[in-house]
Amino acid sequence: MANGHGADGDRESESDGSANGNGDSTAGREAVRVDRVMDGLRAFGANYTEFTRRFATWLGLHSTDAAALVEILYAEDQGAPLSPARLSERVSLSSGATAILLKRLEQAGHIVRTRESADRRVVTLRSSPGIRPRAIEFFGPYAERMAEAMAAYSPQEIQHFENFLGTLRTTMDALLAHEYEGGGPTPPTP
């Protein structure tokens, strides 16, 4: 349903060329290919969520707390540590819920809040020294296997894939900011 083509049964009729009634199956094959790509992206997202859930269990955290911790660690790795407001956006929580979550992570010794900006009102979220080795221990096999899998592709193929994912992300960001801003599309009027 991700691309609007319907259930699996619809895919079968498209793949045998009977979907358009004239035997031309090119459009049907493309629709099936798009469905497979969207299904692969959905499955990857579900697996990533499952890794985060297992990380939570491994650390004895709630899954939302672990997801926030992963975001903090990732942002640090990218050289762009998060503020509480930015974390709130990344984990889709209100500022109040994020404040409570951060208090739990800080009390557990997983994060520290620092004031690194010239503007002392700006809070920066950092992982604690003790959590990074544990995160590396947990996600190390994941990172190694992902690097191995991606090494099978040429730099040009990776660039095409990066461009493709960038386009999908931009499209989804625009949808969330506009058509889905209030929770979803405007319902039809009776």
Side-chain angles (χ1 to χ4, degrees):
M1 186 60 97
N3 69 10
H5 288 286
D8 289 338
D10 294 339
R11 290 183 194 173
E12 289 177 23
S13 63
E14 290 174 6
S15 66
D16 69 8
S18 61
N20 58 16
N22 67 7
D24 179 18
S25 63
T26 303
R29 282 193 302 270
E30 282 304 310
V32 169
R33 183 175 295 131
V34 168
D35 278 347
R36 283 194 311 256
V37 169
M38 295 305 290
D39 187 55
L41 290 169
R42 184 208 53 77
F44 180 85
N47 283 342
Y48 185 83
T49 299
E50 180 62 13
F51 271 100
T52 303
R53 188 194 67 74
R54 291 184 188 194
F55 182 56
T57 301
W58 192 68
L59 288 176
L61 297 175
H62 184 278
S63 60
T64 305
D65 292 11
L69 182 55
V70 167
E71 290 294 333
I72 291 166
L73 287 160
Y74 180 76
E76 278 184 310
D77 288 346
Q78 299 304 305
L82 298 174
S83 67
R86 186 72 182 118
L87 176 65
S88 179
E89 293 171 7
R90 300 274 284 267
V91 295
S92 300
L93 291 176
S94 68
S95 59
T98 301
I100 293 167
L101 176 150
L102 290 173
K103 185 176 181 180
R104 284 193 306 264
L105 288 175
E106 200 168 36
Q107 288 175 339
H110 297 319
I111 66 157
V112 293
R113 299 180 217 208
T114 64
R115 298 191 185 278
E116 302 169 13
S117 172
D119 181 347
R120 301 301 291 165
R121 295 172 297 176
V122 176
V123 174
T124 301
L125 303 174
R126 295 274 182 189
S127 61
S128 67
I131 197 61
R132 182 160 294 281
R134 295 192 72 199
I136 291 169
E137 179 184 354
F138 184 87
F139 285 106
Y142 170 88
E144 289 171 19
R145 291 283 184 88
M146 290 296 122
E148 288 171 13
M150 292 179 72
Y153 296 89
S154 72
Q156 296 81 9
E157 288 172 311
I158 296 293
Q159 182 64 55
H160 287 303
F161 192 61
E162 185 179 358
N163 293 344
F164 171 70
L165 290 176
T167 299
L168 290 182
R169 181 176 182 179
T170 301
T171 300
M172 289 178 77
D173 286 346
L175 281 164
L176 290 169
H178 302 292
E179 287 91 335
Y180 291 81
E181 183 180 22
T186 305
T189 55

